[in-house]
Amino acid sequence: MAEIFITRRVFRGVIDILEKEGHTIDINESDRILPARELVKRAHGKTGLICLLNDSIDSVVMDKLPSLKVISNIAVGYDNIDIVAATQRGIMVTNTPGVLTETTADLVFALLLGAARRIPEADQFIRAGKFKNWQLLQPHMGVDIYEKTLGIVGMGAIGQAVAKRATKGFDMRVIYFSSSRKERAEKEFGAEFVTFNELLSLSNFISIHVPLTEKTKHMFSTEAFKKMKNTAILINTARGPVVDETALVEAIKDGQIRGAALDVFEEEPSIHPELIKMEENVVLAPHIGSASIETRLRMAKMAARNMVQGLKGNRPPNLVNKRLDSRKETNK
Ligand code: DGY
């Protein structure tokens, strides 16, 4: 039986899974992000840590938590955790892949449609009492989506779910840039593998699906925006720092691209003030890619199950630090 610290409020179902195994749980019921010092104080002496994507778990934190055996992140992305440091300290790290794929792909299309057809702006127009008559030269004319070219950057599970919607629902041409060729995407959705520069210059819409790493940070920079069509719309539901937000603001202001639909931000929850002002060409959402009730519950329960297995000394189903796993395997 172990002691677990959960950094934020979670569904009752998560607590049930852990308590059924006899574990003792301490939860940060305030639901605010704990500064490292407070997190360490609360998690001290615990074997398990269940955290969210905005809890930063680095080597300094880990060094102050010598009892820690398992870190279970309730997110598919795990750039908030120093994986190398965890592996060096023999701490298992787990994530929640798969269960949020379709939900996130749905949001990509919600954002894409919202930006292309100017839906948030049209909504504001009505609420301001400005809808007086139907006009041919409507003030909110957008752009078509069907049969346009969608560029997908990062053709993992979510990228492929987006490609499916694009080709099967909107007859779009899908081109992609990824770390490797994806046979399924090419066969089933006719996705064409292109270079990053080709993707930038050919796409009407670009959707980002790469994890945040040293390599992908600021992948969308001034240089990249210069290569994009001036009618292009950028959609980001992955991680904010993949886009240089200041460069994005400049690119939109200068008319280098048409606009953006963003669910993630460079300094979350702060948002570049210029983006807030850009009501006509930017759609904003507060990191809700996976935020359906069903999906968030699935993610949280998956994190709890990963924790249970890790604490038993088993390989958790969604172990991130595979090196740790192979070390355990060879030790058997
Ligand atoms: C994740 O899981 O990494 C998403 O960003 C939040 O659902």
Side-chain angles (χ1 to χ4, degrees), residues 53 75-77 100 239 287 290 299:
L53 56 84
V76 65
L100 49 77
R239 284 294 181 266
H287 205 147
S290 63
M299 290 165 68

Side-chain angles (χ1 to χ4, degrees), residues 5 36 91:
F5 179 56
I91 303 170

Side-chain angles (χ1 to χ4, degrees), residues 178-233:
S178 207
S179 53
S180 61
R181 300 275 297 249
K182 297 290 182 298
E183 216 178 289
R184 175 182 169 238
E186 294 187 14
K187 240 189 181 155
E188 280 186 39
F189 316 124
E192 301 157 49
F193 186 69
V194 293
T195 65
F196 186 50
N197 283 342
E198 283 168 339
L199 182 136
L200 293 174
S201 63
L202 293 171
S203 302
N204 302 107
F205 302 92
I206 295 181
S207 189
I208 303 177
H209 299 288
V210 285
L212 174 62
T213 63
E214 284 302 316
K215 260 198 193 153
T216 61
K217 186 170 182 208
H218 286 189
M219 195 172 178
F220 283 82
S221 57
T222 302
E223 204 192 326
F225 292 124
K226 278 190 185 144
K227 292 176 182 153
M228 286 168 64
K229 285 184 191 291
N230 55 20
T231 51
I233 293 176

